[in-house]
Amino acid sequence: MEDNPARDRRSRPHGPREPPTITPAVEKLQSRVQEILSMLTPEELHKFRVILKTVDEEPRVSDLKLELEGRSASGLACLLVKHYYLRIAPRVVTKVLERLCRADVLLHWKSYPAGDGAVIPRKILKRSFDCVEGELDCYDLSCRRRAFLMCVQKNRPGAHRDVQLMEDWLGQCRFESTLCLDPDRMELLEKLTSFRDELNEIKAEISCCLVTLMSHGKKGWITMKDGDEVSLEDVFEMFNNKNCPALHEKPKIFIIQACRGEKRDSGVETDDEPMDSDDVSEKRRLPTFSDYFIIYPTQPGS
């Protein structure tokens, strides 16, 4: 079978790339990038180049290329478009501007209409067989990320530490979080409703929503500090497309740290090295079910 050069280029996504053909779309994008870069001060342009070297898009721009071709706004715009192409270059510019903390420039950049009438950047819908070089459907997370964190600490040793760890993690992931500790049933529902209503008020500024509920519970329910229970289905329903239009086509993540029944899982012994303990015969154990990712296309009952 003869080698197929096109197939060979696809199989090595991080290898050398051919320069893009200079089309009207390429020229237009380069002009837009240059206009955006011209809005930055010399110090900000320098910082832009520094951040660009760390952006998680392959292949990364080398120090040598930045030194030779990217010292001016026009040269850097040409380098970005030539290096990353039409599909990836807008995403790279967005990522750098987010870290540059120039909200006005970022907003101006995102207001540009793309060639198909979309707004830069938006998720690009593709069929699986159209995806090349590792590109898949993705959500635009460049706007605000909001999180609601509830924890019942009563009769739950270690709960305080769980809250600290979650707050640290949410901060690392750039979530603005709302904390709710030891609520009763009505307080939780009121605070969740208020949180949801705030999202609807700032609809255009929201990228995603994460709700974490940590307490005792049983299947389909979570228990408050006074023993009252809240239906998880009621919580999920509060953020559906009817009740929370701000989250249309945006990820809604729910983390439920609670029991789902009264059975205890004794786990399964593994062949790994024994755990550090006084009893050298004690083996490492795993939960009976772990590392499962189960996805259904429909809700229960439909």
Side-chain angles (χ1 to χ4, degrees), residues 202-254:
I202 54 175
K203 177 178 178 180
E205 303 175 25
I206 294 297
S207 285
C208 66
C209 165
L210 185 149
V211 175
T212 300
L213 306 176
M214 303 189 290
S215 184
H216 295 295
K218 61 183 182 182
K219 186 174 182 180
W221 299 82
I222 193 163
T223 307
M224 301 296 95
K225 67 174 183 180
D226 57 3
D228 274 357
E229 296 175 338
V230 173
S231 166
L232 291 175
E233 285 302 316
D234 289 347
V235 174
F236 301 153
E237 188 174 324
M238 294 173 68
F239 296 88
N240 65 20
N241 289 331
K242 177 180 178 181
N243 295 320
C244 193
L247 294 176
H248 283 183
E249 296 187 313
K250 298 174 184 178
K252 298 163 275 288
I253 307 163
F254 296 87

Side-chain angles (χ1 to χ4, degrees), residues 76-240:
L76 186 55
C78 179
L79 174 61
L80 281 165
V81 176
K82 180 174 67 175
H83 190 81
Y84 286 112
Y85 295 162
L86 284 173
R87 286 189 181 277
I88 303 178
R91 189 164 69 230
V92 171
V93 174
T94 300
K95 288 182 177 182
V96 178
L97 290 176
E98 286 172 359
R99 293 170 57 184
L100 199 59
C101 299
R102 279 293 303 270
D104 57 328
V105 179
L106 178 61
L107 185 62
H108 187 60
W109 167 246
K110 292 174 64 177
S111 69
Y112 282 131
D116 58 358
V119 173
I120 298 175
R122 290 201 57 178
K123 57 181 181 180
I124 302 170
L125 300 178
K126 305 193 200 86
R127 295 161 293 182
S128 59
F129 51 82
D130 288 332
C131 296
V132 295
E133 299 188 357
E135 286 190 35
L136 296 173
D137 294 353
C138 60
Y139 289 106
D140 175 11
L141 299 181
S142 61
C143 295
R144 296 170 65 182
R145 308 172 186 183
R146 295 296 303 274
F148 183 91
L149 174 59
M150 187 283 292
C151 182
V152 172
Q153 302 179 104
K154 183 179 178 181
N155 298 325
R156 297 185 65 243
H160 177 68
R161 179 60 176 157
D162 289 343
V163 172
Q164 289 181 329
L165 291 172
M166 280 299 300
E167 287 187 312
D168 289 345
W169 179 74
L170 290 169
Q172 292 170 16
C173 295
R174 296 190 290 120
F175 277 90
E176 303 169 43
S177 58
T178 298
L179 182 61
C180 177
L181 296 177
D182 289 322
D184 56 29
R185 181 178 181 277
M186 287 306 301
E187 183 181 359
L188 174 62
L189 293 177
E190 287 173 0
K191 288 194 173 183
L192 277 171
T193 300
S194 176
F195 175 77
R196 187 270 318 276
D197 291 345
E198 287 178 12
L199 299 184
N200 284 331
E201 289 174 4
I202 54 175
K203 177 178 178 180
E205 303 175 25
I206 294 297
S207 285
C208 66
C209 165
L210 185 149
V211 175
T212 300
L213 306 176
M214 303 189 290
S215 184
H216 295 295
K218 61 183 182 182
K219 186 174 182 180
W221 299 82
I222 193 163
T223 307
M224 301 296 95
K225 67 174 183 180
D226 57 3
D228 274 357
E229 296 175 338
V230 173
S231 166
L232 291 175
E233 285 302 316
D234 289 347
V235 174
F236 301 153
E237 188 174 324
M238 294 173 68
F239 296 88
N240 65 20

Side-chain angles (χ1 to χ4, degrees), residues 263-277:
K263 294 181 181 179
R264 294 186 64 85
D265 183 5
S266 57
V268 177
E269 287 188 356
T270 72
D271 294 328
D272 295 344
E273 292 294 322
M275 299 175 63
D276 293 333
S277 121

